[in-house]
Amino acid sequence: MTHRKVVLITGCSKGGIGYALSQKFAQEGSHVIATTRNISALEGLEEFGCEKEALDINDQNSIDTVVQKVIDRVGHIDVLINNAGAPAVGALMDIDLQVAHQCVNTNVFGTLAMSKAVALHMAKRGSGKIVNVGSVVGYAATPWAGVYSLSKAAVHSMSDTLRLELKPFGIQVVVVAPGSIKSNFGNAGAKTVNIPEDSLYTSVAKFVIARANMSQSAGNTPNEVFATHVVKKILQPVSPKYITYGANSWVFLLFYYLPFFLKDMIFNRKFGLNQLKLKKD
C-alpha cells in the first residue's frame, strides 16, 4: 500500500497534455499510473517514476482490467484524470459519421465508463477526485469543430451531474477546460479533416483546414506550464469545480456570456463564413 496520492491518467501519449500531467504529478510526489492505447507512446515516463499501462477507454474489458490491476497492486485510486480524447474537424455537413462516432464515443462515453469504474472504488473509501478534461469549446462551439465542441459540452454537462451525484460519497468532480495548449492534438485533428468535392464549403476550405491547428498557433501555452497550473489545483484538498486555463481561454469564457448576435458576428469573420460563396448549378 502507498501513502502517496495515487493518480490514474488516461491519454498520456508523448507530446500531449496527459504526458505533461503525468510528469508533473510524479514530480509532486504522486504515484502515477499513466495509460494510453499504445504503451510505447509512454516512452520516457518511467524516468519520472510513473507506472505505465495499456488502456483503451472504448473497451470495457480493458477498463476493468487496468482499474482492478491498480487496486490490487496499490490499494486504491485517489485521483482519476479523464484526459483521453479524440478530435473531429470539419463542417457538420461534411463530417464523416465514423469520425463523429469515434469522437463522441471516446470523449463522452469513454469518460463516463472510466468514471463509473473508478468511482465505485472511491465511494467505498468515501473519498476521491474525478477530473474530466473538457475544453473551452465546451463553453462556445466554433464552426468547423462542431462534433468536437458538442462532445466537450457533453463532458461539461455530464460532469455537472456527476459532481452532484457523487458528492454524498466524498468524491469531488472537476472539469479542466484547456485553452490553446501546445500539444500533438492539432496534428491528430488535421487527419480528420474532410472536405468532399461537392462540399458546400469548398470556397472556404482554407479556414476549415486551419481550424485543425488553431490551438497550435503562436502564443499558445506550453503543456508543461498548463500541467503545472492544473496539478497545483488538483492537489489542493478542495479543488475548483472548473479549472479554465491556457491561451485564449478567457476569450471563450467571454463568448459564453456574449449575446448571440455579437458572438456570431465575430465567428462569421474569424472562420470565413462571411466569405462563403453560394454554389449554383
Side-chain angles (χ1 to χ4, degrees):
M1 302 294 176
T2 178
H3 298 292
R4 296 186 294 160
K5 289 285 187 187
V6 179
V7 183
L8 174 62
I9 309 176
T10 68
C12 299
S13 295
K14 195 166 190 174
I17 287 173
Y19 196 94
L21 288 171
S22 298
Q23 288 181 340
K24 191 60 185 175
F25 271 113
Q27 289 169 342
E28 292 297 320
S30 298
H31 183 137
V32 176
I33 300 94
T35 71
T36 193
R37 284 181 300 174
N38 182 2
I39 202 166
S40 65
L42 304 174
E43 182 184 3
L45 285 177
E46 66 279 358
E47 297 171 16
F48 296 86
C50 300
E51 292 185 25
K52 302 186 294 186
E53 293 286 350
L55 170 63
D56 181 353
I57 67 168
N58 289 316
D59 181 340
Q60 190 64 51
N61 287 334
S62 179
I63 291 172
D64 293 341
T65 298
V66 171
V67 170
Q68 193 59 52
K69 183 186 285 189
V70 173
I71 298 297
D72 290 344
R73 188 168 63 229
V74 191
H76 64 276
I77 297 169
D78 293 295
V79 181
L80 167 66
I81 310 286
N82 280 314
N83 172 68
V89 179
L92 285 175
M93 293 296 98
D94 294 338
I95 202 78
D96 184 317
L97 286 180
Q98 282 190 316
V99 171
H101 280 291
Q102 177 69 16
C103 177
V104 174
N105 284 340
T106 302
N107 298 353
V108 181
F109 296 114
T111 294
L112 178 57
M114 283 299 304
S115 298
K116 287 178 64 177
V118 174
L120 287 172
H121 294 279
M122 290 179 171
K124 291 175 184 176
R125 298 181 69 237
S127 69
K129 201 169 288 190
I130 294 174
V131 182
N132 294 331
V133 177
S135 171
V136 291
V137 298
Y139 297 132
T142 74
W144 322 139
V147 170
Y148 183 72
S149 297
L150 71 86
S151 77
K152 290 303 185 177
V155 169
H156 291 199
S157 178
M158 176 172 65
S159 301
D160 290 340
T161 299
L162 281 173
R163 185 177 66 248
L164 293 166
E165 292 181 349
L166 294 177
K167 185 178 180 180
F169 304 100
I171 302 171
Q172 295 179 51
V173 177
V174 180
V175 175
V176 174
S180 298
I181 310 299
K182 180 68 176 175
S183 73
N184 53 12
F185 199 69
N187 291 332
K191 294 175 182 176
T192 70
V193 177
N194 180 40
I195 307 173
E197 289 183 11
D198 61 350
S199 171
L200 295 169
Y201 306 99
T202 50
S203 64
V204 292
K206 67 179 181 181
F207 289 93
V208 180
I209 295 167
R211 179 64 185 85
N213 281 296
M214 183 172 289
S215 65
Q216 303 308 300
S217 57
N220 59 16
T221 300
N223 57 18
E224 296 87 358
V225 174
F226 173 79
T228 298
H229 178 86
V230 171
V231 169
K232 181 180 178 181
K233 298 285 188 183
I234 297 302
L235 290 178
Q236 293 173 354
V238 178
S239 296
K241 295 174 177 62
Y242 275 73
I243 302 171
T244 305
Y245 186 75
N248 301 317
S249 56
W250 68 271
V251 177
F252 277 82
L253 272 176
L254 178 63
F255 283 146
Y256 181 74
Y257 293 103
L258 278 182
F260 281 110
F261 82 91
L262 197 53
K263 182 177 70 174
D264 289 357
M265 182 177 69
I266 294 168
F267 280 1
N268 277 332
R269 293 177 180 176
K270 173 69 176 175
F271 297 99
L273 287 156
N274 61 334
Q275 299 179 28
L276 197 59
K277 297 179 178 67
L278 184 63
K279 297 184 76 171
K280 297 180 180 180
D281 293 333

